[in-house]
């Protein structure tokens, strides 16, 4: 199927230690303008200094509440949004230094699956045309060969070749998301940013799509950045997890470490707020109730971004931005007091 | 609990929508009851009829195209479905409070929240005029909003989503309702804010003794909150059980599949069950089990006849022709 997948030295958890994507201190500030001449009066600090590596073959989960900067991070990585600062490299090549045409050449290898399967498919195109579009755009295969590839893609995502002649509205939400996934894998990518790929789907359909993403990862050796606010699903699918809050990473760790022994007070509160579908477990679970709301990214508090809601905040937290540092346990945490 | 302690008894509710594409059979014979102070969860996927069922009780569905074709909904000894419209208005926002998913649609954007709460108090209670403001502030405080007196002067858009949802709860509580119906009140909120709201509702349960119907598609939320759960599918209740029993021993294949398809925060490495197929079309009146096309247990009877909700114990009912525990047809 995919020759590249075969070359990769895959370890037991599906990932290896080769860094595929490296994000270094990226920032994305959207200007807030006012008046006729668009005078800049401030900025939304959507992403405000984020660094992490994504290893080939792994799934990195990116979680956080709405507005924390997850989608913007994904878009900056794929160069769909230009970073205000910082670098993104793909196989050790700095994307932020590349020309438009160089990025375009790499485009087939980095793809995105969107949240809303209804909005992201052109309603006037047949499913075959939608899936074949990237093949046309990047001049890969033609004629019968292209048709065969479209058929192959449809069956890979669990649809039938005869579906190629139908239109998106003839499909259910879960099926449309499969079409979006088929398009994303059409060019044999290495890396896919999945931005809330199941959020718009019915609960009973979500498992279908997640199982499909996992199967495709195994067969094609894909690397995922899986963006989601569903912390239970992220536990299921991710190898490592990064927790965002107000444009910054609060904690990053192997999935089991993060869920079993969260070190950051925000991660602890966030996890404790997620209900478990089991009344006996819920009856004895301790819920940490945070006070107040998430501050606006246009006006984040000085010091630690979490200081307005943190149950253990001290004076220092209101002055000093905590360093993102590695603990003895191997977990990365941005909190003065985590240990 | 004795019969007399029931606050609500719904029988055989049927609601349809007459649309250009055909008749939508949204609610197909729903019966349930609610005891005083009881918390009832209603779960089921999108389009299963959760909202239409509860909105039908207060005739809040658009009519036409909607029509309540059959049923009875006895609340406080009166049938809500045959009540005169002006009397029904008194019940809405009075003895029965309703909290909608999107508070912006039910809070008036051009009025302060203080004004809106006080209006509700004026309309439904005999609070003396001089006490209205204090009472409104007390309600705002009750739902965990600090600086209550100041907040009364705010307009809805000046509040965050979580705050607005609390105001909605305060408005619904203004008249000491006997029953509160909350339709996905936390679905649009972040989890840390959802946890705040659920904490408040749990707290109120002890303080007020209000009965509650909580509609959600999140089986996690109801697990820690309610006493009993109704599972809806295709406009019918397919399972009803005491909360612990439902999660420990689901009897309907849909409930079982749904629970198996859910990843859990506290578990690693489980396989997620694929529920094959799609939710049912509601354009025809069900004459077979609506879940049959997706059901691994379906046999000829399931295609021939629509199973009705039937008690298998005092605290558990199911609408299914297959007895999962004994691996045989349920009747006969
Ligand atoms: N094009 C833009 N112009 C201005 N502000 C933006 C833009 N895109 C995003 N933002 C703001 O940046 C912040 C982060 O947005 P982002 O969409 O990355 O968050 P998110 O974590 O993906 O949230 P959600 O869970 O709601 O999808 C938000 O405050 C958002 O309003
Ligand atoms: N005004 C309307 N006109 C036509 N059909 C309607 C109308 N309102 C609801 N329906 C249909 O009735 C059925 C039940 O809808 P309902 O809103 O009760 O579902 P639900 O279980 O609350 O779903 P959700 O979880 O998406 O809120 C759906 O098929 C819906 O499309
Ligand atoms: S640094 Fe301070 S405010 Fe931030 S999470 Fe740690 S204790 Fe809380
Ligand atoms: Mg997003
Ligand atoms: Mg609804």
């Amino acid at each position: 199927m995919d020759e590249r997948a075969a070359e990769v030295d895959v370890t037991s958890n599906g990932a290896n230690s080769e860094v595929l994507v490296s994000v270094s201190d990226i920032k994305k500030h959207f200007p807030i303008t006012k008046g006729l001449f668009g005078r800049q009066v401030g900025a939304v600090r959507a992403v405000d200094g984020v660094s992490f590596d994504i290893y080939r073959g792994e799934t990195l989960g990116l979680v956080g509440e709405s507005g924390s900067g997850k989608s913007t991070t994904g878009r900056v990585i794929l160069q769909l949004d230009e970073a205000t600062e910082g670098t993104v490299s793909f196989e050790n090549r700095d994307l932020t230094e590349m020309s438009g045409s160089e990025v375009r050449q790499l485009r087939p290898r980095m793809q995105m699956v969107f949240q809303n399967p209804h909005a992201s498919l052109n309603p006037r195109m047949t499913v075959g045309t939608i899936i074949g579009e990237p093949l046309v755009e990047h001049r890969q295969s033609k004629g019968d060969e292209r048709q065969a590839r479209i058929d192959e893609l449809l069956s890979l995502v669990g649809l039938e070749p005869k579906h190629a002649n139908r239109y998106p509205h003839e499909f259910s939400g879960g099926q449309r998301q499969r079409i979006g996934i088929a398009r994303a894998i059409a060019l044999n990518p290495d890396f896919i940013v999945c931005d809330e790929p199941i959020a718009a789907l019915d609960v009973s359909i979500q498992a279908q799509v997640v199982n499909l993403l996992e199967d495709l990862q195994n067969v094609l050796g894909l690397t995922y950045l899986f963006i989601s606010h569903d912390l239970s699903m992220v536990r299921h699918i991710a190898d490592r997890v990064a927790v965002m809050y107000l444009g910054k990473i609060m904690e990053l760790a192997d999935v089991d470490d993060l869920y079993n022994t969260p070190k950051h007070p925000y991660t602890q509160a966030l996890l404790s707020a997620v209900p478990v579908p089991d009344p006996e477990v819920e009856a004895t679970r301790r819920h940490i109730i945070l006070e107040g709301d998430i501050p606006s990214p246009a006006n984040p508090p000085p010091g630690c971004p979490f200081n307005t809601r943190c149950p253990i905040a001290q004076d220092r937290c209101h002055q000093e931005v905590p360093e993102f540092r590695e603990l003895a346990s191997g977990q990365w945490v941005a909190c003065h007091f985590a240990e | 609990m004795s019969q007399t302690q029931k606050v609500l008894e719904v029988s055989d509710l049927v609601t349809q929508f007459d649309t250009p594409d055909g008749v939508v059979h949204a609610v197909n014979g729903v019966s349930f009851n609610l005891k005083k102070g009881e918390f009832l969860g209603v779960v089921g996927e999108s389009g299963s009829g959760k909202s239409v069922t509860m909105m039908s009780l207060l005739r809040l569905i658009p009519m036409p195209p909607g029509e309540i074709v059959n049923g009875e909904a006895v609340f406080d000894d009166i049938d809500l479905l045959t009540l005169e419209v002006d009397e029904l208005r008194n019940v809405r926002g009075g003895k029965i409070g309703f909290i909608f998913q999107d508070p912006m649609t039910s809070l008036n954007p051009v009025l302060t929240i203080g004004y809106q709460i006080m209006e509700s108090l004026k309309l439904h209670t005999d609070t003396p005029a001089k006490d209205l403001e204090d009472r409104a502030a007390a309600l705002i405080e009750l739902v965990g909003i600090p600086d209550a007196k100041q907040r009364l002067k705010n307009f809805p858009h000046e509040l965050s989503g979580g705050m607005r949802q609390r105001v909605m709860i305060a408005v619904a509580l203004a008249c000491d309702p006997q029953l509160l119906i909350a339709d996905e009140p936390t679905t649009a909120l972040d989890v840390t804010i959802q946890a705040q709201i659920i904490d408040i509702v749990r707290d109120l349960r002890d303080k007020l003794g209000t009965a509650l119907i909580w509609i959600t598609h999140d089986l996690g939320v109801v697990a820690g909150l309610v006493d009993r759960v109704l599972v809806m599918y295709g406009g019918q209740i397919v399972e009803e059980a005491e909360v612990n029993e439902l999660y420990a021993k689901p009897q309907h294949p849909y409930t079982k599949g749904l629970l198996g398809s859910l990843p859990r925060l506290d578990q690693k490495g489980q396989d997620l069950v694929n529920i094959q197929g799609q939710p049912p079309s509601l354009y025809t009146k069900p004459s077979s089990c609506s879940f049959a096309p997706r059901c691994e247990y379906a046999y000829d009877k399931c295609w021939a006849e629509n199973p009705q909700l039937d008690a298998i114990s005092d605290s558990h009912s199911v609408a299914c022709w297959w007895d999962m525990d004994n691996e045989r047809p349920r009747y006969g």
Side-chain angles (χ1 to χ4, degrees):
Chain A
M1 182 140 302
D2 181 1
E3 315 78 51
R4 280 195 305 271
E7 289 168 15
V8 176
D9 169 27
V10 177
T11 59
S12 58
N13 68 353
N16 67 9
S17 53
E18 179 198 339
V19 173
L20 182 66
V21 176
S22 182
V23 174
S24 175
D25 205 21
I26 52 167
K27 294 186 179 167
K28 178 67 192 178
H29 295 179
F30 294 104
I32 304 172
T33 55
K34 208 178 163 181
L36 200 55
F37 301 105
R39 187 166 54 90
Q40 187 174 344
V41 292
V44 177
R45 297 159 168 263
V47 178
D48 205 20
V50 158
S51 305
F52 53 73
D53 291 336
I54 306 176
Y55 298 109
R56 191 185 283 279
E58 82 164 339
T59 298
L60 177 67
L62 184 58
V63 302
E65 295 177 282
S66 68
S68 56
K70 306 180 296 295
S71 297
T72 307
T73 301
R75 294 177 56 82
V76 168
I77 292 176
L78 294 185
Q79 304 296 298
L80 300 172
D81 269 340
E82 200 186 329
T84 311
E85 265 179 49
T87 59
V88 177
S89 36
F90 183 80
E91 289 180 336
N92 292 320
R93 296 166 65 197
D94 185 352
L95 300 179
T96 50
E97 292 285 302
M98 282 183 193
S99 68
S101 68
E102 284 174 308
V103 171
R104 215 185 95 82
Q105 275 181 5
L106 276 178
R107 180 71 63 218
R109 304 186 53 194
M110 305 179 289
Q111 292 290 315
M112 184 143 178
V113 173
F114 297 92
Q115 164 167 356
N116 192 334
H118 307 275
S120 59
L121 304 178
N122 186 334
R124 283 183 297 274
M125 286 187 182
T126 64
V127 166
T129 314
I130 290 171
I131 297 175
E133 200 180 28
L135 299 173
V136 176
E137 197 184 322
H138 290 275
R139 304 207 188 99
Q140 292 198 357
S141 69
K142 49 177 178 272
D144 286 351
E145 198 191 328
R146 183 176 298 156
Q147 196 50 52
R149 176 66 178 152
I150 291 170
D151 290 355
E152 180 191 25
L153 288 164
L154 281 168
S155 34
L156 263 174
V157 298
L159 296 171
E160 291 169 48
K162 66 168 192 243
H163 287 146
N165 299 321
R166 301 205 191 151
Y167 290 87
H169 73 263
E170 298 174 62
F171 293 88
S172 68
Q175 288 174 318
R176 280 184 237 196
Q177 199 54 292
R178 289 169 189 270
I179 297 166
I181 293 169
R183 183 177 56 184
I185 61 174
L187 297 171
N188 270 323
D190 298 66
F191 175 58
I192 301 181
V193 173
C194 305
D195 191 358
E196 307 265 13
I198 56 167
L201 303 178
D202 249 335
V203 183
S204 74
I205 309 294
Q206 292 182 351
Q208 289 182 12
V209 172
V210 167
N211 288 339
L212 171 65
L213 287 171
E214 290 182 308
D215 290 346
L216 290 175
Q217 179 167 49
N218 291 336
V219 177
L220 306 176
L222 295 169
T223 305
Y224 292 142
L225 177 67
F226 189 87
I227 297 175
S228 177
H229 60 261
D230 182 340
L231 287 132
S232 306
M233 195 57 93
V234 167
R235 164 145 223 190
H236 174 82
I237 198 172
D239 300 301
R240 289 186 309 139
V241 180
V243 180
M244 271 189 101
Y245 188 81
L246 276 183
K248 290 195 163 73
I249 306 275
M250 299 285 104
E251 182 161 2
L252 193 163
D254 281 345
V255 63
D256 286 336
D257 293 336
L258 190 105
Y259 283 78
N260 294 335
T261 52
K263 298 293 186 185
H264 196 286
Y266 176 62
T267 317
Q268 291 165 354
L270 187 66
L271 292 175
S272 89
V274 179
V276 172
D278 183 337
E280 288 177 26
V281 172
E282 273 298 307
T284 57
R285 266 179 96 218
R286 194 172 70 94
H287 297 280
I288 302 167
I289 307 291
L290 291 178
E291 299 205 345
D293 291 307
I294 306 169
S296 156
N299 191 17
C304 172
F306 188 50
N307 68 26
T308 58
R309 305 171 81 200
C310 179
I312 60 166
Q314 306 290 320
D315 284 350
R316 184 180 172 195
C317 309
H318 295 272
Q319 282 130 30
E320 234 179 280
V321 180
E323 184 197 349
F324 190 53
R325 64 201 164 90
E326 188 174 14
L327 302 179
S329 61
Q331 285 166 258
W332 287 81
V333 182
C335 168
H336 295 306
F337 303 108
E339 50 193 35
Chain B
M1 280 200 186
S2 74
Q3 292 289 86
T4 53
Q5 280 185 302
K6 281 180 188 154
V7 276
L8 176 68
E9 188 145 24
V10 176
S11 14
D12 209 17
L13 180 71
V14 178
T15 303
Q16 301 174 349
F17 293 92
D18 200 354
T19 72
D21 296 336
V23 175
V24 177
H25 297 265
V27 180
N28 300 309
V30 159
S31 306
F32 66 94
N33 60 60
L34 190 67
K35 299 182 198 89
K36 200 161 171 287
E38 188 181 30
F39 277 23
L40 180 71
V42 182
V43 302
E45 59 199 18
S46 183
S48 59
K50 306 181 294 294
S51 299
V52 172
T53 297
M54 298 310 158
M55 293 179 36
S56 296
L57 303 182
L58 293 175
R59 280 181 264 159
L60 289 169
I61 54 166
M63 296 193 269
E67 190 191 348
I68 299 171
V69 180
N70 187 48
E72 216 178 50
V74 179
F75 172 79
D76 220 16
D77 291 329
I78 43 173
D79 181 6
L80 295 173
L81 300 184
T82 53
L83 199 62
E84 292 297 326
V85 174
D86 47 335
E87 287 176 62
L88 188 66
R89 276 205 199 98
N90 269 328
V91 175
R92 291 182 197 149
K95 287 178 181 168
I96 301 182
F98 212 110
I99 300 170
F100 296 91
Q101 172 163 351
D102 176 10
M104 274 320 242
T105 59
S106 38
L107 289 174
N108 188 330
V110 299
L111 301 173
T112 65
I113 60 166
Y115 183 88
Q116 298 187 51
I117 299 175
M118 288 189 267
E119 269 311 286
S120 179
L121 287 168
K122 259 194 254 173
L123 204 64
H124 296 290
T125 69
D126 42 19
T127 314
K130 64 172 175 46
D131 296 342
L132 282 173
E133 196 178 336
D134 285 344
R135 175 91 178 108
L139 282 162
I140 293 284
E141 224 157 77
L142 187 70
V143 294
I145 299 183
D147 303 327
K149 277 257 156 80
Q150 276 310 110
R151 285 296 181 191
L152 292 179
K153 296 181 193 133
N154 284 149
F155 291 91
H157 73 264
E158 296 175 297
L159 305 176
S160 67
M163 289 260 206
R164 267 185 236 134
Q165 202 52 278
R166 286 166 208 232
V167 170
M168 277 297 298
I169 296 176
V171 172
L173 290 176
C175 315
D176 284 331
Q178 293 170 3
L179 169 61
L180 200 56
I181 301 175
D183 191 355
E184 311 243 12
T186 58
T187 304
L189 303 176
D190 276 317
V191 292
T192 61
I193 309 297
Q194 166 171 287
Q196 292 172 348
I197 302 279
I198 289 175
D199 195 49
I200 288 163
V201 173
R202 275 206 198 98
D203 207 41
L204 290 175
R205 158 196 214 127
D206 309 329
K207 284 191 193 139
L208 305 177
T210 315
L212 174 81
I213 296 176
W214 188 285
I215 302 173
T216 178
H217 61 264
D218 187 336
L219 280 153
V221 171
V222 288
L225 184 68
V226 306
D227 305 304
R228 203 152 48 95
V229 185
L230 306 179
V231 182
M232 290 197 70
Y233 191 83
Q236 288 174 281
I237 297 173
V238 294
E239 185 159 7
E240 175 193 336
E242 184 274 322
V243 66
N244 290 302
E245 226 179 291
L246 185 90
Y247 288 79
K249 283 194 292 170
Q251 293 296 312
H252 196 282
Y254 171 67
T255 318
K256 190 174 171 232
L258 200 57
L259 285 168
S261 76
L262 289 182
R264 287 177 54 151
L265 189 81
D266 59 342
Q267 280 175 13
K268 175 72 187 171
Q270 29 160 14
D271 286 331
L272 303 185
V273 175
N274 257 348
I275 306 181
Q276 295 299 338
Q278 302 304 324
S281 155
L282 299 171
Y283 285 113
T284 50
K285 202 175 155 84
S287 58
S288 58
C289 174
S290 337
F291 191 62
R294 305 173 77 184
C295 182
E296 56 176 308
Y297 305 98
Y299 64 113
D300 45 1
K301 177 134 186 176
C302 311
W303 294 101
E305 219 180 309
N306 186 12
Q308 299 300 304
L309 194 65
D310 196 18
I312 53 170
S313 80
D314 284 351
S315 53
H316 207 147
S317 301
V318 62
C320 174
W321 294 123
W322 186 252
D323 178 348
M324 230 187 278
D325 287 349
N326 298 303
E327 294 177 35
R328 60 162 193 234
R330 190 176 291 284
Y331 309 97

